Amino acid sequence: MTASLHVAVIGAGTLGLCTALNLLEQGARVTVLEAQSIASGSSGRSVGVVGSQFTDPFEIMLRVQSFRRFRQWEGQGLQFNHIGYLRLARTPAQMELFAKSVEIQGGAGLKSRLIRANELRDLVPHLSPDGLEGGLFGPDNGFLDPYDMCNFLARIVREKAGDIHQYRKVLGVGRRPGGYRLETNGDPVECDAVVNAGGAWAPRVAELFGQRLHIWPERHEAVVIHLDRPLDYTMPMVMDLVDGEGSGLNFRHDKPGALIAEIHKVTSIAPEDPDNYNDQCEEQSKVHLAELLLERLPDLPGARLGRGWAGLYPVTADHRPLVGPIDASEPALVTAAGAGGYGIQLAPVIGQIAADWVLQGAPASVPGAGSLAPTAERNIRKVDH
């Protein structure tokens, strides 16, 4: 039955393309529909960090699954910059959590180690350790170019005979026995199953099917930091946030003489309109970012802020992705969205879970992934939570 199943995937970001690839590898026929161009949404505006330095065992397990895929794709030509990932700790309690993370990651085959406060400068010479207890460091973590990743995945999808239609917006939905008819601004698409991987637009896609999907498009900004001269070491990804505690400041090497920084923590009073939001970095945000950088990197050589941009994090009420059918009575309509700022690093495993839901009716290949299903308890408004 799988070989004859035709699945329409809505969205050509990392989640949609990873889902399409997993479906094709299991014998399904796949058509990807993208309203704009490949990686034109949140994926293309990401800073592309891939890290496993978390304290929750389930979050770590998901990234273990993703890293297996990234290693495979790296062998096929995807460029992955292994600069390392350092998550900072401000309290002894956070260091205890980090110690447990080292054990969990080690048991799963991932490298990580504790860094004490007096060792931080050995790893990042320009880092001020004031107010810090230490950190958790993963030397094999790093970053990739999300636009390149999407186009890499698109090439493989096409090689496996998957169809990708750019500038093909879904305008309406018709249900037929055993499947759907998707009306678009081009030819209609007849399919047996649908995966909604629309990112910040996923709630609007859900509405076309008569469903309610609660994802909050949260605006985040990133800025390039130019240096007078290249550092004599490679700056790892540095994150000041542990389970919601910390400034949210993060920064990393981008290329010689330049870093990229953002604040992974915002207080949004309303969701953004993905079709009409300010995609440029606001001046006040640059000022706030500069203040945080001066506190944590006080002696960077000739550091100055360059161009900035904004993108959207598709955020859920509990800050975990929604993967699975919203309505159990309609298992052929699967959601794969809401990964927030972790869409790039979770895309491989989310694509695997979404494909499982479509082809097997349950997330059979990823232990515990049923907890990501968009149940009535989880699929709620962020403000209610």
Side-chain angles (χ1 to χ4, degrees), residues 53-54 85-87 98 101-102 105 112-113 135-138:
Q53 308 317 307
F54 288 78
Y85 187 116
L86 173 66
R87 189 177 289 273
F98 285 179
S101 178
V102 170
Q105 291 191 67
S112 65
R113 68 178 190 268
L136 174 64
F137 181 63

Side-chain angles (χ1 to χ4, degrees), residues 6-47:
H6 181 202
V7 185
V9 177
I10 302 175
T14 52
L15 269 64
L17 291 169
C18 284
T19 301
L21 180 56
N22 275 275
L23 288 165
L24 287 163
E25 289 173 339
Q26 296 183 60
R29 188 161 63 94
V30 176
T31 299
V32 179
L33 301 173
E34 168 56 51
Q36 297 295 320
S37 59
I38 292 171
S40 59
S42 297
S43 293
R45 293 181 169 274
S46 167
V47 298

Side-chain angles (χ1 to χ4, degrees), residues 60-366:
I60 295 171
M61 184 276 295
L62 291 176
R63 285 157 178 83
V64 169
Q65 299 276 344
S66 281
F67 265 95
R68 291 172 184 163
R69 271 297 211 175
F70 281 122
R71 293 190 189 104
Q72 175 191 344
W73 294 337
E74 195 174 2
Q76 296 174 264
L78 178 65
Q79 183 176 352
F80 194 115
N81 304 280
H82 295 277
I83 63 172
Y85 187 116
L86 173 66
R87 189 177 289 273
L88 303 176
R90 293 171 175 259
T91 66
Q94 290 175 348
M95 287 296 286
E96 290 179 10
L97 290 174
F98 285 179
K100 293 178 182 177
S101 178
V102 170
E103 293 181 9
I104 296 169
Q105 291 191 67
L110 297 177
K111 295 178 182 178
S112 65
R113 68 178 190 268
L114 289 180
I115 306 290
R116 302 297 173 182
N118 61 357
E119 302 170 323
L120 286 169
R121 281 188 178 271
D122 296 335
L123 185 64
V124 186
H126 289 93
L127 184 75
S128 169
D130 291 350
L132 299 176
E133 287 287 326
L136 174 64
F137 181 63
D140 293 335
N141 294 179
F143 74 96
L144 47 77
D145 184 314
Y147 182 82
D148 286 348
M149 176 181 170
C150 286
N151 281 279
F152 169 85
L153 293 169
R155 175 177 60 79
I156 299 177
V157 166
R158 290 177 174 129
E159 288 175 354
K160 294 183 178 295
D163 292 323
I164 300 177
H165 298 285
Q166 300 181 75
Y167 300 99
R168 185 70 66 85
K169 186 175 184 178
V170 179
L171 303 175
V173 174
R175 287 175 169 82
R176 59 173 176 77
Y180 303 90
R181 177 184 173 91
L182 307 182
E183 302 295 339
T184 75
N185 56 337
D187 295 333
V189 176
E190 302 275 352
C191 58
D192 305 300
V194 174
V195 177
N196 176 5
W201 289 265
R204 297 182 182 180
V205 173
E207 287 178 7
L208 295 175
F209 291 87
Q211 294 186 338
R212 291 291 301 276
L213 178 62
H214 294 290
I215 288 177
W216 180 289
E218 188 175 79
R219 185 174 178 275
H220 285 253
E221 297 163 311
V223 177
V224 175
I225 305 168
H226 296 289
L227 308 176
D228 278 350
R229 61 184 183 276
L231 302 175
D232 57 5
Y233 64 97
T234 299
M235 181 79 74
M237 171 69 185
V238 180
M239 170 68 83
D240 181 13
L241 192 68
V242 182
D243 301 333
E245 298 180 6
S247 69
L249 172 68
N250 62 85
F251 47 89
R252 65 161 173 82
H253 165 86
D254 185 47
K255 56 187 177 182
L259 310 176
I260 284 182
E262 67 167 349
I263 302 175
H264 199 86
K265 187 176 183 181
V266 298
T267 304
S268 299
I269 59 173
E272 295 285 345
D273 178 353
D275 288 323
N276 185 29
Y277 75 99
N278 177 16
D279 63 0
Q280 301 301 306
C281 188
E282 297 176 348
E283 195 61 31
Q284 184 57 41
S285 299
K286 287 187 176 182
V287 171
H288 181 43
L289 183 60
E291 291 172 348
L292 293 177
L293 286 166
L294 283 170
E295 176 187 17
R296 195 53 63 198
L297 297 172
D299 299 317
L300 275 179
R304 60 194 184 280
L305 299 184
R307 70 179 183 90
W309 69 94
L312 299 177
Y313 286 8
V315 176
T316 64
D318 61 5
H319 295 276
R320 281 184 169 175
L322 297 171
V323 192
I326 292 176
D327 185 346
S329 68
E330 194 169 8
L333 177 54
V334 172
T335 295
Y342 300 114
I344 301 296
Q345 57 189 260
L346 290 178
V349 68
I350 288 176
Q352 183 178 342
I353 296 167
D356 280 355
W357 275 111
V358 173
L359 301 177
Q360 302 182 49
S365 64
V366 180

